[in-house]
Amino acid sequence: MSVALGTTRPLPVRTTLVGDPGDLLASLPRTAPYAWIRNGEGLVGWGEAARVTVPPGPGRFAWARRWLATVLGEAHVDDAVHAPGSGAVAFGSFTFDEDAHGSVLVVPRAVLARRDGHAWLTTIGDAPLETFTPIRDPGRISYGDGSLSAPEWEHVVASAAKRIREGELEKVVLARDLVATAERPIDVRLLLTRLARRYPECYTFSVAGLVGATPELLIRRTGQEIESLVLAGTTPRGTGPADDLARGKALLASTKDRHEHECAIASVRQTLSPLCSSLTTPDEPELLMLPNVQHLASHVTGRLADGASVLDVVAAMHPTAAVGGTPTHTAIEVIRELEGMDRAGYAGPVGWIDARGDGEWGIALRSGLVEGRRARLFAGGGIMGDSDPAAELAEAQAKFRVMQYALEG
């Protein structure tokens, strides 16, 4: 059901404590599952109490907040939990490009959550009793070029690196897509289950067909406290512990990757400082090791000065240098000119927000857009002046493997 701004009816919302539900993802019915899971904790939802397509443009996050204030703010709430993620919750996915269509917010009819040793169920109205159907394997998967072939994308990378060397910009993040076609309709629950098991440290998400497991936390708001995890600089995993160690040391010593990471940290610092009464960024990045790659990572923490909601912080932060480039405006124009595709929700904000303004939003990396038997997979990387097109292609291929594993097992 779609609900237009200004025409909503108050939603009857009830949140109650429940026993440990076990695997949250195992509770999802087949139709329209919503999910945000890390290390077995988080939220899953189903059904639709309210849904809206957010109009594109520079004011889209403000429009979304007004819509949420109308829908969630006027709800009749009986909340026995009073925790971040209790009461009415909206899941959302915003396109990377503010001018692109496809941003969406959904308030599920039912949300099952577990956090910090407590579990609860939120229902809106008479939440439908969805029938659980067995998860079905999609069968054989075949792959084909997306918007650009591999050689075409390497040419794009070379063109971008040349423009960086000529001084037009410092960094640009370029993405590419890959089309996967299955024998049978793709069951999103299967992808979520595989991703959550293989990448427990990532945020496994599902919103309106966009499915993935992102290592990058754009922002978490709990009351006035905020936290962000900045990732920029990547190397593939090695063939064993010794090779992993060598690759990690090389990544930490890489001038190109360290500069890329510094651009990303500077972008976050510049964006968050006006919103915060205090902000802490580390002096040195650390290594984040995932099953397929290693990243340079920095944890950023702060305290909001004026009570902004998590969506206000998302609006201020997106796009970060980690997914756009430096300077941001120039990088976005280069992406539009060179990349040759619509990113849709890839590298855009994805996550959830409750009526108090708390929530968690990540950057939709390692993801795919699923529809029927078809999935459009996305991957990318930061391009600097000395980037090697073949190496950047190999990095993107390594990142594709996350969703290829989810499809193939």
Side-chain angles (χ1 to χ4, degrees):
M1 168 173 83
S2 295
V3 179
L5 186 63
T7 64
T8 59
R9 297 185 302 275
L11 299 174
V13 180
R14 185 166 185 260
T15 298
T16 57
L17 287 166
V18 296
D20 189 343
D23 183 0
L24 291 171
L25 294 172
S27 303
L28 283 171
R30 182 179 179 88
T31 54
Y34 301 93
W36 181 264
I37 299 292
R38 180 176 183 266
N39 284 328
E41 294 198 340
L43 302 86
V44 296
W46 57 91
E48 290 183 4
R51 179 189 180 110
V52 73
T53 298
V54 180
R60 60 185 179 153
F61 291 105
W63 191 99
R65 183 175 184 183
R66 292 196 301 272
W67 183 84
L68 285 168
T70 301
V71 174
L72 303 187
E74 297 179 0
H76 295 159
V77 181
D78 177 9
D79 184 356
V81 178
H82 299 289
S86 69
V89 171
F91 287 78
S93 167
F94 287 83
T95 57
F96 170 81
D97 192 324
E98 66 180 23
D99 292 334
H101 293 267
S103 300
V104 64
L105 287 169
V106 180
V107 180
R109 282 197 175 275
V111 172
L112 182 63
R114 179 172 53 224
R115 177 176 175 149
D116 299 331
H118 300 287
W120 62 88
L121 176 68
T122 298
T123 55
I124 296 181
D126 295 323
L129 295 175
E130 300 278 357
T131 302
F132 181 87
T133 57
I135 295 175
R136 189 179 185 189
D137 191 278
R140 188 176 62 85
I141 309 293
S142 60
Y143 298 96
D145 284 335
S147 304
L148 298 176
S149 67
E152 289 171 332
W153 195 73
E154 285 184 297
H155 178 73
V156 166
V157 171
S159 298
K162 180 174 183 291
R163 292 168 71 161
I164 292 169
R165 291 195 299 272
E166 291 172 349
E168 184 177 344
L169 70 168
E170 286 186 64
K171 168 192 170 183
V172 63
V173 180
L174 293 177
R176 64 185 301 252
D177 58 348
L178 183 70
V179 176
T181 304
E183 285 184 277
R184 294 182 289 274
I186 299 168
D187 192 329
V188 166
R189 298 172 301 170
L190 179 64
L191 308 188
L192 292 172
T193 299
R194 287 173 172 170
L195 290 170
R197 287 177 180 171
R198 187 170 177 85
Y199 303 97
E201 294 294 327
C202 292
Y203 297 87
T204 298
F205 61 86
S206 171
V207 180
L210 186 67
V211 182
T214 179
E216 191 142 356
L217 178 68
L218 180 63
I219 195 73
R220 174 188 294 118
R221 176 192 185 268
T222 307
Q224 298 301 102
E225 304 299 322
I226 60 170
E227 180 183 354
S228 181
L229 177 63
V230 179
L231 304 180
T234 306
T235 189
R237 287 291 301 269
T239 56
D243 193 19
D244 267 338
L245 182 62
R247 287 172 181 264
K249 287 182 177 179
L251 182 61
L252 285 167
S254 166
T255 302
K256 178 259 186 189
D257 289 290
R258 289 294 290 262
H259 181 56
E260 181 183 346
H261 193 82
E262 273 303 312
C263 286
I265 287 290
S267 170
V268 170
R269 188 184 299 116
Q270 180 180 4
T271 301
L272 289 181
S273 291
L275 298 175
C276 293
S277 58
S278 63
L279 186 68
T280 302
T281 59
D283 295 328
E284 293 285 329
E286 60 187 42
L287 285 174
L288 175 65
M289 191 173 293
L290 300 174
N292 60 321
V293 293
Q294 297 183 62
H295 293 292
L296 294 181
S298 291
H299 290 269
V300 178
T301 58
R303 184 172 179 82
L304 292 173
D306 62 354
S309 84
V310 70
L311 207 55
D312 293 321
V313 185
V314 170
M317 293 184 72
H318 179 76
T320 67
V323 294
T326 307
T328 301
H329 177 75
T330 304
I332 297 302
E333 291 304 316
V334 170
I335 289 169
R336 288 170 174 164
E337 178 185 345
L338 294 182
E339 203 168 70
M341 71 173 189
D342 176 9
R343 289 188 177 189
Y346 170 74
V350 62
W352 62 270
I353 178 174
D354 66 19
R356 291 171 289 270
D358 287 334
E360 293 179 309
W361 290 76
I363 299 174
L365 306 176
R366 319 294 196 274
S367 59
L369 201 54
V370 178
E371 185 175 1
R373 296 190 304 115
R374 187 177 183 269
R376 186 173 170 227
L377 314 184
F378 301 93
I383 310 304
M384 308 295 288
D386 58 351
S387 289
D388 173 59
E392 297 297 339
L393 179 64
E395 180 180 319
Q397 293 295 103
K399 292 173 179 176
F400 275 135
R401 293 192 192 109
V402 173
M403 289 303 296
Q404 288 176 314
Y405 164 78
L407 287 165
E408 298 170 13

PDB file of all heavy atoms in Angstrom, residues 97 99 163 168-169 172 327-339:
ATOM      1  N   ASP A  97      22.550   8.490  -6.746  1.00  0.00           N
ATOM      2  CA  ASP A  97      22.453   9.802  -7.393  1.00  0.00           C
ATOM      3  C   ASP A  97      21.147  10.466  -6.960  1.00  0.00           C
ATOM      4  O   ASP A  97      20.069   9.901  -7.126  1.00  0.00           O
ATOM      5  CB  ASP A  97      22.484   9.632  -8.920  1.00  0.00           C
ATOM      6  CG  ASP A  97      22.691  10.948  -9.652  1.00  0.00           C
ATOM      7  OD1 ASP A  97      22.156  11.983  -9.187  1.00  0.00           O
ATOM      8  OD2 ASP A  97      23.352  10.940 -10.710  1.00  0.00           O
ATOM      9  N   ASP A  99      19.477  12.647  -8.310  1.00  0.00           N
ATOM     10  CA  ASP A  99      18.570  12.919  -9.419  1.00  0.00           C
ATOM     11  C   ASP A  99      17.921  11.662  -9.994  1.00  0.00           C
ATOM     12  O   ASP A  99      17.097  11.748 -10.901  1.00  0.00           O
ATOM     13  CB  ASP A  99      19.310  13.652 -10.549  1.00  0.00           C
ATOM     14  CG  ASP A  99      19.723  15.068 -10.135  1.00  0.00           C
ATOM     15  OD1 ASP A  99      19.058  15.642  -9.244  1.00  0.00           O
ATOM     16  OD2 ASP A  99      20.701  15.593 -10.701  1.00  0.00           O
ATOM     17  N   ARG A 163      42.459  11.977 -15.837  1.00  0.00           N
ATOM     18  CA  ARG A 163      41.882  13.256 -15.410  1.00  0.00           C
ATOM     19  C   ARG A 163      42.329  13.618 -14.004  1.00  0.00           C
ATOM     20  O   ARG A 163      42.505  14.807 -13.691  1.00  0.00           O
ATOM     21  CB  ARG A 163      40.360  13.195 -15.536  1.00  0.00           C
ATOM     22  CG  ARG A 163      39.924  13.135 -17.000  1.00  0.00           C
ATOM     23  CD  ARG A 163      38.477  12.789 -17.194  1.00  0.00           C
ATOM     24  NE  ARG A 163      37.582  13.850 -16.793  1.00  0.00           N
ATOM     25  CZ  ARG A 163      36.320  13.937 -17.187  1.00  0.00           C
ATOM     26  NH1 ARG A 163      35.821  13.020 -18.026  1.00  0.00           N
ATOM     27  NH2 ARG A 163      35.550  14.921 -16.782  1.00  0.00           N
ATOM     28  N   GLU A 168      42.163  17.546 -12.339  1.00  0.00           N
ATOM     29  CA  GLU A 168      40.737  17.870 -12.319  1.00  0.00           C
ATOM     30  C   GLU A 168      40.085  17.497 -10.991  1.00  0.00           C
ATOM     31  O   GLU A 168      39.166  18.171 -10.516  1.00  0.00           O
ATOM     32  CB  GLU A 168      40.034  17.154 -13.475  1.00  0.00           C
ATOM     33  CG  GLU A 168      38.557  17.494 -13.609  1.00  0.00           C
ATOM     34  CD  GLU A 168      37.905  16.824 -14.809  1.00  0.00           C
ATOM     35  OE1 GLU A 168      38.646  16.341 -15.702  1.00  0.00           O
ATOM     36  OE2 GLU A 168      36.666  16.771 -14.844  1.00  0.00           O
ATOM     37  N   LEU A 169      40.544  16.411 -10.360  1.00  0.00           N
ATOM     38  CA  LEU A 169      40.033  15.960  -9.067  1.00  0.00           C
ATOM     39  C   LEU A 169      41.078  15.054  -8.422  1.00  0.00           C
ATOM     40  O   LEU A 169      42.078  14.703  -9.068  1.00  0.00           O
ATOM     41  CB  LEU A 169      38.694  15.244  -9.212  1.00  0.00           C
ATOM     42  CG  LEU A 169      38.626  13.861  -9.882  1.00  0.00           C
ATOM     43  CD1 LEU A 169      37.251  13.241  -9.651  1.00  0.00           C
ATOM     44  CD2 LEU A 169      38.865  13.934 -11.383  1.00  0.00           C
ATOM     45  N   VAL A 172      38.055   9.445  -7.674  1.00  0.00           N
ATOM     46  CA  VAL A 172      36.687   9.148  -8.076  1.00  0.00           C
ATOM     47  C   VAL A 172      36.440   7.659  -7.868  1.00  0.00           C
ATOM     48  O   VAL A 172      37.336   6.836  -8.079  1.00  0.00           O
ATOM     49  CB  VAL A 172      36.415   9.551  -9.535  1.00  0.00           C
ATOM     50  CG1 VAL A 172      37.276   8.755 -10.515  1.00  0.00           C
ATOM     51  CG2 VAL A 172      34.937   9.416  -9.881  1.00  0.00           C
ATOM     52  N   PRO A 327      37.122  16.282  -5.113  1.00  0.00           N
ATOM     53  CA  PRO A 327      35.994  16.865  -4.394  1.00  0.00           C
ATOM     54  C   PRO A 327      34.670  16.239  -4.861  1.00  0.00           C
ATOM     55  O   PRO A 327      34.545  15.815  -6.013  1.00  0.00           O
ATOM     56  CB  PRO A 327      36.075  18.353  -4.722  1.00  0.00           C
ATOM     57  CG  PRO A 327      36.949  18.464  -5.909  1.00  0.00           C
ATOM     58  CD  PRO A 327      37.776  17.245  -6.018  1.00  0.00           C
ATOM     59  N   THR A 328      33.706  16.215  -3.962  1.00  0.00           N
ATOM     60  CA  THR A 328      32.494  15.431  -4.201  1.00  0.00           C
ATOM     61  C   THR A 328      31.749  15.853  -5.461  1.00  0.00           C
ATOM     62  O   THR A 328      31.382  15.015  -6.286  1.00  0.00           O
ATOM     63  CB  THR A 328      31.560  15.534  -2.982  1.00  0.00           C
ATOM     64  OG1 THR A 328      32.241  15.043  -1.825  1.00  0.00           O
ATOM     65  CG2 THR A 328      30.301  14.722  -3.196  1.00  0.00           C
ATOM     66  N   HIS A 329      31.510  17.149  -5.614  1.00  0.00           N
ATOM     67  CA  HIS A 329      30.712  17.613  -6.758  1.00  0.00           C
ATOM     68  C   HIS A 329      31.370  17.230  -8.080  1.00  0.00           C
ATOM     69  O   HIS A 329      30.711  16.721  -8.994  1.00  0.00           O
ATOM     70  CB  HIS A 329      30.514  19.130  -6.683  1.00  0.00           C
ATOM     71  CG  HIS A 329      29.768  19.685  -7.856  1.00  0.00           C
ATOM     72  ND1 HIS A 329      28.403  19.532  -8.014  1.00  0.00           N
ATOM     73  CD2 HIS A 329      30.206  20.362  -8.963  1.00  0.00           C
ATOM     74  CE1 HIS A 329      28.017  20.102  -9.142  1.00  0.00           C
ATOM     75  NE2 HIS A 329      29.089  20.612  -9.731  1.00  0.00           N
ATOM     76  N   THR A 330      32.665  17.448  -8.167  1.00  0.00           N
ATOM     77  CA  THR A 330      33.382  17.101  -9.396  1.00  0.00           C
ATOM     78  C   THR A 330      33.352  15.605  -9.643  1.00  0.00           C
ATOM     79  O   THR A 330      33.147  15.144 -10.770  1.00  0.00           O
ATOM     80  CB  THR A 330      34.843  17.581  -9.311  1.00  0.00           C
ATOM     81  OG1 THR A 330      34.863  18.986  -9.039  1.00  0.00           O
ATOM     82  CG2 THR A 330      35.585  17.311 -10.614  1.00  0.00           C
ATOM     83  N   ALA A 331      33.556  14.821  -8.575  1.00  0.00           N
ATOM     84  CA  ALA A 331      33.552  13.364  -8.712  1.00  0.00           C
ATOM     85  C   ALA A 331      32.203  12.856  -9.209  1.00  0.00           C
ATOM     86  O   ALA A 331      32.137  11.965 -10.066  1.00  0.00           O
ATOM     87  CB  ALA A 331      33.911  12.719  -7.379  1.00  0.00           C
ATOM     88  N   ILE A 332      31.109  13.402  -8.681  1.00  0.00           N
ATOM     89  CA  ILE A 332      29.776  12.967  -9.114  1.00  0.00           C
ATOM     90  C   ILE A 332      29.576  13.260 -10.594  1.00  0.00           C
ATOM     91  O   ILE A 332      29.016  12.436 -11.340  1.00  0.00           O
ATOM     92  CB  ILE A 332      28.682  13.654  -8.268  1.00  0.00           C
ATOM     93  CG1 ILE A 332      28.804  13.249  -6.804  1.00  0.00           C
ATOM     94  CG2 ILE A 332      27.290  13.310  -8.807  1.00  0.00           C
ATOM     95  CD1 ILE A 332      28.710  11.766  -6.553  1.00  0.00           C
ATOM     96  N   GLU A 333      30.046  14.402 -11.050  1.00  0.00           N
ATOM     97  CA  GLU A 333      29.915  14.738 -12.474  1.00  0.00           C
ATOM     98  C   GLU A 333      30.738  13.784 -13.341  1.00  0.00           C
ATOM     99  O   GLU A 333      30.300  13.372 -14.420  1.00  0.00           O
ATOM    100  CB  GLU A 333      30.338  16.192 -12.713  1.00  0.00           C
ATOM    101  CG  GLU A 333      29.384  17.220 -12.132  1.00  0.00           C
ATOM    102  CD  GLU A 333      27.959  17.037 -12.641  1.00  0.00           C
ATOM    103  OE1 GLU A 333      27.774  16.825 -13.853  1.00  0.00           O
ATOM    104  OE2 GLU A 333      27.021  17.087 -11.810  1.00  0.00           O
ATOM    105  N   VAL A 334      31.924  13.411 -12.867  1.00  0.00           N
ATOM    106  CA  VAL A 334      32.760  12.461 -13.613  1.00  0.00           C
ATOM    107  C   VAL A 334      32.085  11.090 -13.647  1.00  0.00           C
ATOM    108  O   VAL A 334      32.095  10.405 -14.681  1.00  0.00           O
ATOM    109  CB  VAL A 334      34.171  12.379 -12.985  1.00  0.00           C
ATOM    110  CG1 VAL A 334      34.974  11.230 -13.590  1.00  0.00           C
ATOM    111  CG2 VAL A 334      34.912  13.701 -13.186  1.00  0.00           C
ATOM    112  N   ILE A 335      31.494  10.669 -12.527  1.00  0.00           N
ATOM    113  CA  ILE A 335      30.762   9.394 -12.494  1.00  0.00           C
ATOM    114  C   ILE A 335      29.633   9.405 -13.512  1.00  0.00           C
ATOM    115  O   ILE A 335      29.457   8.458 -14.290  1.00  0.00           O
ATOM    116  CB  ILE A 335      30.226   9.124 -11.074  1.00  0.00           C
ATOM    117  CG1 ILE A 335      31.376   8.781 -10.125  1.00  0.00           C
ATOM    118  CG2 ILE A 335      29.196   7.988 -11.092  1.00  0.00           C
ATOM    119  CD1 ILE A 335      30.980   8.752  -8.665  1.00  0.00           C
ATOM    120  N   ARG A 336      28.849  10.477 -13.524  1.00  0.00           N
ATOM    121  CA  ARG A 336      27.737  10.573 -14.469  1.00  0.00           C
ATOM    122  C   ARG A 336      28.219  10.528 -15.919  1.00  0.00           C
ATOM    123  O   ARG A 336      27.567   9.957 -16.786  1.00  0.00           O
ATOM    124  CB  ARG A 336      26.969  11.876 -14.225  1.00  0.00           C
ATOM    125  CG  ARG A 336      26.138  11.879 -12.948  1.00  0.00           C
ATOM    126  CD  ARG A 336      25.613  13.268 -12.645  1.00  0.00           C
ATOM    127  NE  ARG A 336      24.703  13.275 -11.497  1.00  0.00           N
ATOM    128  CZ  ARG A 336      24.339  14.374 -10.842  1.00  0.00           C
ATOM    129  NH1 ARG A 336      24.803  15.561 -11.228  1.00  0.00           N
ATOM    130  NH2 ARG A 336      23.499  14.287  -9.820  1.00  0.00           N
ATOM    131  N   GLU A 337      29.381  11.107 -16.155  1.00  0.00           N
ATOM    132  CA  GLU A 337      29.903  11.173 -17.516  1.00  0.00           C
ATOM    133  C   GLU A 337      30.531   9.862 -17.972  1.00  0.00           C
ATOM    134  O   GLU A 337      30.323   9.424 -19.110  1.00  0.00           O
ATOM    135  CB  GLU A 337      30.949  12.295 -17.590  1.00  0.00           C
ATOM    136  CG  GLU A 337      31.606  12.443 -18.951  1.00  0.00           C
ATOM    137  CD  GLU A 337      32.721  13.466 -18.954  1.00  0.00           C
ATOM    138  OE1 GLU A 337      32.818  14.271 -17.987  1.00  0.00           O
ATOM    139  OE2 GLU A 337      33.527  13.452 -19.900  1.00  0.00           O
ATOM    140  N   LEU A 338      31.290   9.209 -17.086  1.00  0.00           N
ATOM    141  CA  LEU A 338      32.109   8.075 -17.507  1.00  0.00           C
ATOM    142  C   LEU A 338      31.513   6.703 -17.227  1.00  0.00           C
ATOM    143  O   LEU A 338      31.757   5.757 -17.984  1.00  0.00           O
ATOM    144  CB  LEU A 338      33.492   8.148 -16.839  1.00  0.00           C
ATOM    145  CG  LEU A 338      34.413   9.299 -17.218  1.00  0.00           C
ATOM    146  CD1 LEU A 338      35.747   9.139 -16.479  1.00  0.00           C
ATOM    147  CD2 LEU A 338      34.650   9.344 -18.727  1.00  0.00           C
ATOM    148  N   GLU A 339      30.766   6.560 -16.136  1.00  0.00           N
ATOM    149  CA  GLU A 339      30.438   5.223 -15.637  1.00  0.00           C
ATOM    150  C   GLU A 339      29.527   4.438 -16.574  1.00  0.00           C
ATOM    151  O   GLU A 339      29.587   3.207 -16.631  1.00  0.00           O
ATOM    152  CB  GLU A 339      29.804   5.339 -14.251  1.00  0.00           C
ATOM    153  CG  GLU A 339      29.918   4.087 -13.428  1.00  0.00           C
ATOM    154  CD  GLU A 339      29.536   4.330 -11.975  1.00  0.00           C
ATOM    155  OE1 GLU A 339      28.351   4.557 -11.691  1.00  0.00           O
ATOM    156  OE2 GLU A 339      30.449   4.313 -11.123  1.00  0.00           O
TER     157      GLU A 339
END
